[in-house]
Each structure stands twice: as structure tokens, then as C-alpha cells.
Amino acid sequence: MDKQHTFKKVQKLLLVLLVFTMVLTPLLSAQASVKGITLNKTDVMLKLGGTLQLKASFTDSPVKWSTENKKIATVKNGLVTAKSTGTVNIKVTSGKTSATCKVTVYQPAKKVKLVPDANLLEVGDTFTVTANITPANATYQSLSWSVENTWDTVVKQVSKNKFKAVEEGTATIVAYQKDTKKEYRLEVTVKEALGSFHIESNSSKITSLSTFPGGHIIIKGAMDETEDYWYDKETTFKYSVEDKAIASIDARGQISAIKSGSTTVTVTAPNGKSKSCKLTVTSDSKALQMETLYADKFYQPIGVGNYGSWGRYGGSDKTFVFKLSNDQIGVFTRVADETSQKLELNLYDKNLNYISKKTIALPYTEWGGLHQGEDGNYYAAVGQKNKEQNNSKIVYSIIKMDKDFKELGRCNITGKESNTVIPYDVGFARMTMDGTVLIVHADRERYTSDDGLNHQSNITFIIDSTSMTQFYVGALFPYNHVSHSFNQFVKMDSGNLVYVDHGDAYPRSVVMQTHYNFSVNGWSDNYRNRPATNELDLMTIKGSTGDNETGTKVNGFEIGTYHNLVAGVSIPHDTITDNNITPYKVQNVYVSLVTKDGNSSKLIWLTDYKEGGKISANTLRMVKITADKFALIYQIQKEDAYSTGLILIDSNGSVLTKKEYDTYFSCYTQPLYDNGSILWIDNSGYAEEYYWYDETVSSSAEQCQFTRIYLE
């Protein structure tokens, strides 16, 4: 009885446990499911417009996705799409359980550019770097700043985005955005502290300017100290004019005067320092006024001729300015390397507006000069060295071109005919014409003599320009021989052929030779059958025979109405009492007036700078205005300053006008008389140390400029 009763109790207990288990198990299972549901992301950043796939874990039941704010982000099947910036919770629900993910939608920075507040950083400068963020509404714009560690300290951080330049060199500034974990970098270069600068025009310092309505002046900022020369090349100065109704100024520093009045022109360096000068535009006559303006599209360095600067030898011009048809101006520049040469022609209209450019091919590598022929054609003197003394080698070639620069013929001259190893050695192949006869007067280094030396002397060719064949070639000793001849000129004067040479040996003088009643007929280079020339020493040069130092330059020769004129700069050989020229350093402008018969001359000094003083005349150019009016333009050197001198004289040597301009005159190209003005071209960036390398150097990318002096 007791056993049966116990069994029933156990049976009831098991039944209760079974019922309890059946009821509790689903509850426990459901409770376990609520505790276990998770998302693969709980806090994320999402770019505006971006998407993110969320995944729910540990659930076998269907889930439901929802967003707190559909304007910020939407969700479908766990795929979140960012709609606008802000923060929103994305929720997943399974039955009575859920999980959330915090989504921060941000506008990313598409571009971040670090910009210093100065274009030029100098030692000692304090500067600020700004982050230019694109788009402007980027969400995260707070940055932390630093300087990348290097072995040297070029830049130090002062505070946040403020820095100080400590020494020359380069440094990298780093900006870090912690939210996006992005890093942005800026490399800066620190230069030596900018020295003082000045305003200059034509390489001369200026404090004031004057011009006329319609006139032009080029100015620029330039460093005071030569060691700061790099600033002239790497630093961009800014130019402005106060009263724009009186004048305008472009980014290059070219002033264009508009109407009469005065105003202030300011030049500002990248570090904010500025200099100013007064500009006066006057309605007075523009006679004897100077203007400068850029030669557009012309960047070739101006080749050196006319003795360079303080040079002993004449040298050939490499750049020529000619007046062409239709009042056009042609600028011809010889461009060369070690194996080839060519002419580049830049064409301008009468107002000096650029028209076009043309390249003219030339043979060989040596250059003598370019002549605008009296027959309307052009003649180029070229050649090649002949150090092997090859008798059959072409050493000189005179090339004839028409007005369109198409070659019409050549006259070639061999080593045997000319006895030459180096053509156009230190002089200039100048030319003139007598009808169809072309006369070329040049120089050369000759074949080796019995003394083992290669002597230098002049040489002359007389050519039939129609057939481009020889009438005469001066060989070892031409009929008008001068040794050593450092510069050469030739002109026709009423049937007489007149030569001028700068000789330092035989003779040691500025010498004129006249071939009376010139004709190519009835003579040759045979010593018994060649004409004599009338030789006249215009200036006897003191010093030892053959000493290359003469203290003299012969810069111009022109035919005048009452006299023929030879001009240049020189020390006073006519008053030196001994034969020692070493102590003499100061040069003055001279003109030698030669009677029309070539039998006598008179030396006139046109300046009077004193020996031991600080002023000297330097290189000079002579321009024929009329047969009775001539311009002498020369450089005046005053210690470290330069100016330009102008003297107008008549054919009797009387001074008509004298004027000095506060500008630098390089004198490396022959000026042109053009419609009442004297015009030439130059490169203000030219460096004298390139004298012997002028044909190959690209010394400057600066734009060349025209300079004009109005005579009326």
C-alpha cells in the first residue's frame, strides 16, 4: 500500500516536471535569443552618398530594420544609405529583441590644399599656413599641425598653424585630421633674407621717370647687392600705378603713358616691401626723349659685338635691326651651337607690334656678319675653321639672299685662296657695294708663318654679286694689309673705296686707306699689278708694336658731306708723351674728321673725362641721320653706375646737341635711324661675362626690349 502510494507521488512529480519543462524551455530559448542578437557594426562613419551593409547575427527569426531619421540615412535589408550629414541610429528588431548601430554621416573633404600666407619665405619670417578645404561644408575641418622631423631645423612651429623660418632649406609641414585619419603635407622653401632692392630702367637705378603721352618705359625691381642676383630671376615683383588715367603698367613693368600729368609708380616685392618713384607725363616735344618697350616674342640673348665691354677686339655683331618694306622692322639674330647656326628673324610693324617669326638656315659654324645690300638683297658672311690648313677646304662663304631670304647664290673661298685657319677671328665682316660689285672687308688668323705663329690681319674680298664669283681675294698680304686688325669698316665715297682698320702692329694706328677711282678692271693681287691705296693714320696708338692692349676702340665710320667721320672711344694717345699706356684707364669720345680726298684728318675730343676721375666713356655706336648729321650714342661708366650719352654732330664736327640719359647702354647692336628716331634692341638681362660665349649661351629667358630716342 505504501509502495503504491509512493509510486503515484513520483508519477505526479515527474508529470509536473514534464509540464514545467515544456513550458519553460521555449521561454528560456526566447530569452537566450534576446541576449544573443548582434550587429556587425555598432558605431560607424559613413561618407555622404555612401552605403554600408549591416548584418544581424544569432537569430533564426525574421528581422526588421528601421532608421531614426530617413533624412540622414535610410536602411533596407540592412543596407544603409547616407542621405545628409548628421547622426542617426539604425535599428534591427527580431520579435521583442533589437540591436542598434550609430551611424555618423559626414561630408568628406575632396581636396585639401595647404597654403602659406607668403609666396617667398625668408629666414626670420613668421608665417601662417591655411588649409583650403573643398567643399567648404566638409564636416571635419579641425586639423592638428606639426613640422616633419628632419636632421636640420629649417622651420619651427610657433603655435597651431603658425610657423617661423629659422634657416635656409626645405621643410615639410603636416596637417592631420584625427576623425578621418587623413594627413596633408606642404613642402616649403626658406631663402636667405631678402636684401634691399631698387627700381631700375635699362639696368640703371631710378627715382623718377618722365615721358610723353603715348610713350613707353620699362621698369623692374632689382636687388641692390649682386649676391642677391637670384632674386631677380626667381622673384616676381608686382607693379602698380596710382592714377590710371595718366598711365597704365602691365605685369612685366611696361608703362604706357596716356595723358599729361604726374602720378606714382610702385614696385612691390613678394615679402610686401615696396619702392615708389614719380612718373611725369609731359606734353612738351618728345624730341630727345627716350622710350623703352618690350619686343614681344623675342627672347634670344643679344649676341655681343662692338668690343663687348672693355674688350680689345671688335667682334662681329650677332643681332641686326633693319628697316624692311612697308615700314616693317626686322630683327635678325644669329643662333648657333658647336655644330650648326641659323638666323632667326622676328618681324614687327612700324609701331613695333609683333607680326611673325622666320628661321633662315645657314651653313658652317663661323659667323662674320649680315649686310642689307644696296641692291635690296641680303648678304651673310659665314665660314668654317681650317686649323689643318687644308688648301681645298671652303673657309669663307658669302651667301646672297633675296628680300624673302631665299638663297640666290654663294661665293666660296678656300684655304689656299685666303691663307686662313680661322675666319672672322676677332673682327667684323663689313660690306659695301659699288653697283653690282660687293666688297667684303673682314679679318682672319693666317696659316702658320716661318716664325711658327699664326698671325692675325685683315682680308678683303671683291665679288661680282650677279654671279657671286670672285674678282679679288686678298691672300697672305692683301693690297690694303693691316696687321693686327681688330675692327674693320668699308664704304664707297663718290667712286673711291675707303677702308678703316683698328691696327695694333703694322701700322699701330687707327688707319684709313683710300682706293681712288675704284674699279675691278685692270688689276689683280699680283704685287706688280695691284693698285696702291692712300694710307692715312687718323690716330697713332702709343705702346709696343703688336701689343693687343691699345686703349682704343674704333666704333663707327660714315661718309659725310664735308668730311668723312671715324668715331670711337680712346685714351688720349695724342697727348701721351712716353710710350707707356698702362697708367691710362679713362676713355673719351673722339671723332676724326677726314677730308674728302683722304689726305688729312683732324682729331676732335667730344668728352673731357679726367684721368684719375670716376667717369669714363665706354662702348659707342655711330648712326648716320643725314649726310650732314650724325648721332654718337655711348655708355658712360661712373664707378658702379651707368648712363647713356648722346652727341649729335655735323660733318664738320660741330656739336649740335649733347644729352645724358639715366639708363644703361650696352651698345651690342647697331642702332637704326627710323622716321625721326634712333632705334635699337637689347636684352636688359645680358651678362658681360658671356662675352666669349655669346653665340651659344642662353643667358636669360627675359624678354628683349626696344629702345628709341626721338630726334624730332
Side-chain angles (χ1 to χ4, degrees):
M1 183 95 182
D2 291 336
K3 290 182 178 179
Q4 187 176 4
H5 179 74
T6 302
F7 176 76
K8 287 183 179 180
K9 284 185 177 181
V10 171
Q11 190 177 33
K12 287 180 180 180
L13 180 61
L14 290 173
L15 183 61
V16 170
L17 287 173
L18 178 60
V19 172
F20 181 78
T21 298
M22 291 175 65
V23 172
L24 185 61
T25 295
L27 293 173
L28 290 174
S29 177
Q31 186 175 2
S33 176
V34 170
K35 290 181 179 180
I37 190 171
T38 61
L39 289 172
N40 60 330
K41 303 283 185 178
T42 58
D43 192 344
V44 295
M45 296 179 65
L46 187 59
K47 293 180 181 179
L48 182 64
T51 60
L52 171 70
Q53 182 66 56
L54 292 178
K55 295 180 180 179
S57 302
F58 304 109
T59 179
D60 293 328
S61 302
V63 296
K64 181 180 179 182
W65 298 88
S66 62
T67 175
E68 285 183 337
N69 191 336
K70 293 181 180 180
K71 292 183 178 180
I72 296 175
T74 61
V75 62
K76 183 178 182 181
N77 297 326
L79 182 64
V80 181
T81 301
K83 295 294 187 179
S84 64
T85 58
T87 302
V88 65
N89 286 322
I90 301 297
K91 187 175 184 180
V92 59
T93 303
S94 178
K96 296 181 179 181
T97 65
S98 65
T100 60
C101 176
K102 179 183 177 183
V103 176
T104 301
V105 179
Y106 69 97
Q107 170 66 64
K110 296 180 180 179
K111 182 180 180 181
V112 176
K113 184 178 181 180
L114 305 185
V115 182
D117 61 359
N119 294 327
L120 176 68
L121 297 178
E122 304 170 339
V123 174
D125 282 352
T126 298
F127 62 99
T128 300
V129 179
T130 302
N132 290 341
I133 300 175
T134 306
N137 65 339
T139 303
Y140 299 109
Q141 300 197 22
S142 61
L143 299 168
S144 59
W145 298 83
S146 63
V147 180
E148 188 174 71
N149 291 328
T150 58
W151 63 274
D152 57 349
T153 305
V154 175
V155 170
K156 284 185 177 181
Q157 186 175 16
V158 177
S159 62
K160 294 184 180 180
N161 60 333
K162 189 175 183 179
F163 303 88
K164 184 172 183 177
V166 178
E167 62 181 53
E168 290 182 82
T170 59
T172 300
I173 293 171
V174 180
Y176 179 72
Q177 212 297 308
K178 66 177 182 178
D179 298 289
T180 58
K181 297 180 174 59
K182 293 283 188 179
E183 187 177 85
Y184 308 100
R185 305 164 71 84
L186 171 68
E187 184 177 278
V188 295
T189 299
V190 178
K191 296 284 189 180
E192 179 184 353
L194 176 69
S196 58
F197 70 95
H198 60 270
I199 303 174
E200 68 176 35
S201 178
N202 274 12
S203 300
S204 292
K205 293 182 181 181
I206 56 170
T207 56
S208 62
L209 295 163
S210 65
T211 187
F212 50 89
H216 302 84
I217 306 174
I218 295 172
I219 66 169
K220 72 174 185 176
M223 307 311 301
D224 288 340
E225 300 297 330
T226 55
E227 57 263 30
D228 292 330
Y229 176 71
W230 67 268
Y231 281 103
D232 290 339
K233 298 297 180 184
E234 299 181 14
T235 302
T236 301
F237 290 89
K238 292 183 178 180
Y239 304 91
S240 61
V241 63
E242 185 177 37
D243 190 339
K244 295 179 176 58
I246 293 175
S248 64
I249 189 167
D250 65 18
R252 303 170 299 176
Q254 179 172 298
I255 298 170
S256 298
I258 300 171
K259 69 176 185 178
S260 300
S262 62
T263 185
T264 299
V265 177
T266 301
V267 179
T268 305
N271 62 1
K273 297 178 182 178
S274 64
K275 297 279 185 179
S276 296
C277 68
K278 182 179 179 181
L279 170 66
T280 301
V281 182
T282 174
S283 59
D284 296 341
S285 169
K286 63 183 180 182
L288 299 181
Q289 294 206 54
M290 177 186 285
E291 72 168 340
T292 54
L293 64 160
Y294 280 109
D296 288 332
K297 310 291 185 181
F298 189 88
Y299 292 93
Q300 284 292 348
I302 301 297
V304 182
N306 200 39
Y307 296 88
S309 181
W310 296 105
R312 298 173 176 177
Y313 317 109
S316 58
D317 288 351
K318 308 300 186 297
T319 303
F320 300 79
V321 182
F322 293 141
K323 188 170 183 178
L324 311 182
S325 60
N326 301 322
D327 281 338
Q328 293 177 343
I329 300 297
V331 181
F332 299 79
T333 296
R334 182 255 189 167
V335 181
D337 56 30
E338 294 179 354
T339 60
S340 64
Q341 62 181 335
K342 61 184 177 181
L343 279 175
E344 282 193 358
L345 166 61
N346 280 55
L347 198 61
Y348 299 86
D349 67 17
K350 64 180 180 179
N351 296 317
L352 302 180
N353 297 307
Y354 175 80
I355 298 174
S356 62
K357 177 177 288 188
K358 183 182 181 70
T359 298
I360 305 163
L362 293 173
Y364 310 123
T365 57
E366 300 304 299
W367 175 252
L370 181 66
H371 179 65
Q372 188 178 32
E374 293 83 344
D375 60 355
N377 295 309
Y378 294 84
Y379 296 87
V382 297
Q384 56 185 332
K385 292 180 180 178
N386 183 29
K387 291 192 174 182
E388 67 275 23
Q389 301 187 173
N390 182 344
N391 282 337
S392 62
K393 186 175 184 178
I394 295 173
V395 181
Y396 295 91
S397 186
I398 309 301
I399 301 175
K400 178 181 180 180
M401 296 175 286
D402 66 14
K403 62 182 180 63
D404 296 318
F405 311 103
K406 178 182 177 182
E407 184 175 330
L408 300 177
R410 299 183 188 186
C411 179
N412 294 326
I413 299 165
T414 65
K416 180 179 180 179
E417 292 167 328
S418 62
N419 202 261
T420 296
V421 294
I422 301 179
Y424 321 114
D425 184 26
V426 297
F428 195 149
R430 287 190 169 86
M431 307 178 217
T432 191
M433 298 190 76
D434 181 31
T436 60
V437 177
L438 175 71
I439 301 97
V440 182
H441 191 43
D443 82 305
R444 44 54 190 285
E445 188 175 303
R446 300 196 307 247
Y447 276 9
T448 306
S449 300
D450 292 340
D451 60 7
L453 300 177
N454 297 99
H455 294 283
Q456 189 269 355
S457 69
N458 64 358
I459 189 169
T460 297
F461 316 131
I462 301 176
I463 298 168
D464 180 348
S465 68
T466 303
S467 62
M468 291 306 288
T469 56
Q470 307 168 9
F471 283 125
Y472 167 79
V473 175
L476 180 59
F477 296 108
Y479 83 109
N480 54 353
H481 175 70
V482 173
S483 175
H484 308 135
S485 177
F486 294 159
N487 210 0
Q488 305 81 36
F489 297 85
V490 61
K491 299 280 185 182
M492 287 297 304
D493 181 23
S494 302
N496 297 331
L497 179 59
V498 187
Y499 303 98
V500 174
D501 287 81
H502 173 191
D504 88 330
Y506 305 103
R508 186 173 173 83
S509 67
V510 179
V511 59
M512 175 180 286
Q513 298 181 74
T514 304
H515 180 162
Y516 295 114
N517 301 315
F518 170 73
S519 171
V520 297
N521 299 316
W523 65 281
S524 68
D525 200 36
N526 185 295
Y527 287 94
R528 296 180 180 179
N529 188 37
R530 65 181 187 177
T533 60
N534 182 67
E535 186 173 308
L536 178 66
D537 289 333
L538 308 183
M539 181 190 296
T540 300
I541 297 173
K542 300 293 178 66
S544 302
T545 299
D547 181 1
N548 289 176
E549 183 56 59
T550 64
T552 297
K553 298 181 177 77
V554 186
N555 300 114
F557 168 43
E558 292 293 348
I559 304 299
T561 301
Y562 302 107
H563 293 88
N564 296 334
L565 298 88
V566 175
V569 296
S570 180
I571 61 175
H573 291 288
D574 57 334
T575 60
I576 297 174
T577 56
D578 58 19
N579 211 34
N580 182 16
I581 66 173
T582 303
Y584 295 88
K585 306 298 181 186
V586 173
Q587 294 179 322
N588 278 284
V589 175
Y590 71 86
V591 62
S592 180
L593 302 178
V594 187
T595 56
K596 297 298 288 183
D597 60 12
N599 285 321
S600 63
S601 66
K602 179 182 179 181
L603 186 65
I604 299 176
W605 295 98
L606 297 174
T607 59
D608 188 25
Y609 306 128
K610 303 299 183 182
E611 190 63 49
K614 299 179 179 180
I615 304 177
S616 179
N618 203 342
T619 48
L620 176 147
R621 291 283 182 170
M622 185 178 192
V623 182
K624 186 174 184 176
I625 310 302
T626 68
D628 196 35
K629 189 174 183 180
F630 305 86
L632 305 179
I633 311 170
Y634 57 99
Q635 185 187 101
I636 304 172
Q637 185 173 4
K638 306 174 182 179
E639 290 190 291
D640 295 330
Y642 295 89
S643 60
T644 298
L646 170 68
I647 302 175
L648 297 179
I649 60 174
D650 64 20
S651 63
N652 284 318
S654 299
V655 174
L656 307 175
T657 301
K658 261 190 177 183
K659 187 172 177 63
E660 184 175 337
Y661 301 88
D662 191 22
T663 59
Y664 179 85
F665 179 56
S666 74
C667 195
Y668 297 147
T669 59
Q670 175 63 34
L672 167 74
Y673 178 68
D674 174 41
N675 292 330
S677 68
I678 300 170
L679 175 71
W680 68 92
I681 193 168
D682 201 0
N683 185 338
S684 61
Y686 184 80
E688 294 175 7
E689 60 266 27
Y690 291 119
Y691 176 70
W692 288 113
Y693 304 94
D694 54 279
E695 64 265 40
T696 58
V697 69
S698 55
S699 62
S700 173
E702 291 186 22
Q703 201 165 9
C704 294
Q705 66 183 49
F706 287 109
T707 302
R708 189 193 297 271
I709 296 177
Y710 289 91
L711 301 182
E712 55 190 49

